[in-house]
Amino acid sequence: MDHCSKTSFNSSSPFDCLLFDLDDTLYSCKFGTAEALRKNIDDFLVERCGFPEDKAPSIRVKLFKTYGSTLAGLQALGYDIDADDYHSFVHGRFPYDLIKPDSQLLNLLRSISQRKIIFTNSYRNHAIMVLKRLGIEDCFDQIICFETMNPNLSKSTSPDEFPVLKPSMDAMKIALRVADVDLRRTLFLDDSVRNVVAGKAMGLHTALVGKAVKSREADYVVEHIHNLAQVIPEIWVGGTGGGDQE
């Protein structure tokens, strides 16, 4: 899948592979996409599940905090929710036009010769659409997504058969098995502290993206993905591959 032109691989780098989260990591959700997604989920709760409109936002937040996603929470509570229908509803109204091509990100990714993998809780069609809008769809070797972590998810699930997603250890194990990476030589970049904690527990090097202050949960803190080379130069040159960075 990776057709970006590459620099020669620097074997002295401590990283063989980079795992990138998608939403709010490779692009910012501050320009209307996050708000639109929340509204779409709230509309689903009202239109498809019958929740009161004024209760939908708080229910969405509670389900996300408890189960990792609204879909997983609904299925855990016994709602007969088809995953494809949920994703089509929530992302079918997603304002992809707000996501613009990012030439700086494209050049950054082209300069990274190691394997680059998308690791997102979103479904595959959404990931592909976002990557296309950013203009970086050919820069990744693999997409690990909702379908990857839940290949046999049935249409109707019992309370103990809800989707596994980041930050659950089961989801992390599935993703890392599919990615076939050396945990000690893999850098995991995500905007969620909970996901970074899970990645660290698995033995990955971790970078928390979108934050401006140091975090004990992450080896690195990257305020914006464009700053990656300044914060983690070890990707391109030999280095220690760990520790908090200024």
Side-chain angles (χ1 to χ4, degrees):
M1 185 176 177
D2 190 339
H3 304 299
C4 284
S5 58
K6 298 178 179 180
T7 57
S8 58
F9 177 67
N10 190 331
S11 60
S12 62
S13 171
F15 308 122
D16 291 337
C17 180
L18 282 72
L19 294 176
F20 291 90
D21 177 49
L22 182 64
D23 300 305
D24 237 7
T25 295
L26 289 181
Y27 74 101
S28 174
C29 291
K30 296 178 180 178
F31 303 107
T33 54
E35 181 181 352
L37 186 62
R38 288 192 292 267
K39 183 181 185 306
N40 293 348
I41 295 173
D42 291 347
D43 288 346
F44 185 91
L45 290 172
V46 173
E47 296 177 27
R48 298 295 176 86
C49 302
F51 289 107
E53 187 173 352
D54 61 336
K55 301 292 185 183
S58 60
I59 292 170
R60 167 178 45 79
V61 171
K62 183 176 181 179
L63 292 176
F64 177 79
K65 288 184 176 180
T66 304
Y67 298 98
S69 79
T70 304
L71 172 61
L74 289 171
Q75 293 187 324
L77 294 176
Y79 285 85
D80 184 12
I81 305 296
D82 178 79
D84 289 338
D85 179 58
Y86 174 85
H87 286 135
S88 295
F89 186 104
V90 169
H91 292 110
R93 310 177 182 187
F94 191 84
Y96 290 104
D97 59 309
L98 294 178
I99 302 174
K100 306 301 181 183
D102 188 338
S103 59
Q104 187 174 348
L105 177 58
L106 174 63
N107 290 332
L108 175 72
L109 293 171
R110 281 176 170 172
S111 73
I112 298 172
S113 57
Q114 295 95 322
R115 289 178 66 204
K116 297 177 288 293
I117 299 174
I118 293 293
F119 180 19
T120 176
N121 280 344
S122 297
Y123 81 138
R124 183 172 298 274
N125 287 346
H126 172 71
I128 291 172
M129 183 65 73
V130 169
L131 294 175
K132 285 182 177 179
R133 292 293 306 177
L134 288 169
I136 58 173
E137 67 270 25
D138 292 330
C139 289
F140 295 91
D141 300 274
Q142 195 173 1
I143 295 175
I144 294 175
C145 56
F146 179 91
E147 293 93 328
T148 312
M149 292 177 280
N150 302 278
N152 301 312
L153 188 67
S154 61
K155 184 171 183 177
S156 179
T157 59
S158 63
D160 59 348
E161 293 179 321
F162 53 88
V164 294
L165 300 167
K166 293 183 292 182
S168 86
M169 287 295 104
D170 287 339
M172 298 296 296
K173 289 175 182 176
I174 292 170
L176 294 171
R177 184 175 67 247
V178 171
D180 190 23
V181 297
D182 181 345
L183 302 180
R184 299 165 299 176
R185 296 185 57 80
T186 299
L187 177 64
F188 173 49
L189 303 99
D190 201 296
D191 66 288
S192 164
V193 172
R194 293 196 305 167
N195 293 347
V196 165
V197 169
K200 195 65 182 174
M202 292 297 299
L204 298 168
H205 297 277
T206 56
L208 184 62
V209 180
K211 305 297 187 288
V213 295
K214 289 183 178 181
S215 169
R216 65 180 181 180
E217 293 88 358
D219 296 314
Y220 306 93
V221 175
V222 183
E223 186 171 0
H224 193 285
I225 195 65
H226 290 165
N227 301 333
L228 191 59
Q230 288 73 41
V231 179
I232 318 179
E234 298 96 313
I235 295 171
W236 292 267
V237 298
T240 59
D244 289 331
Q245 302 291 312
E246 294 293 346

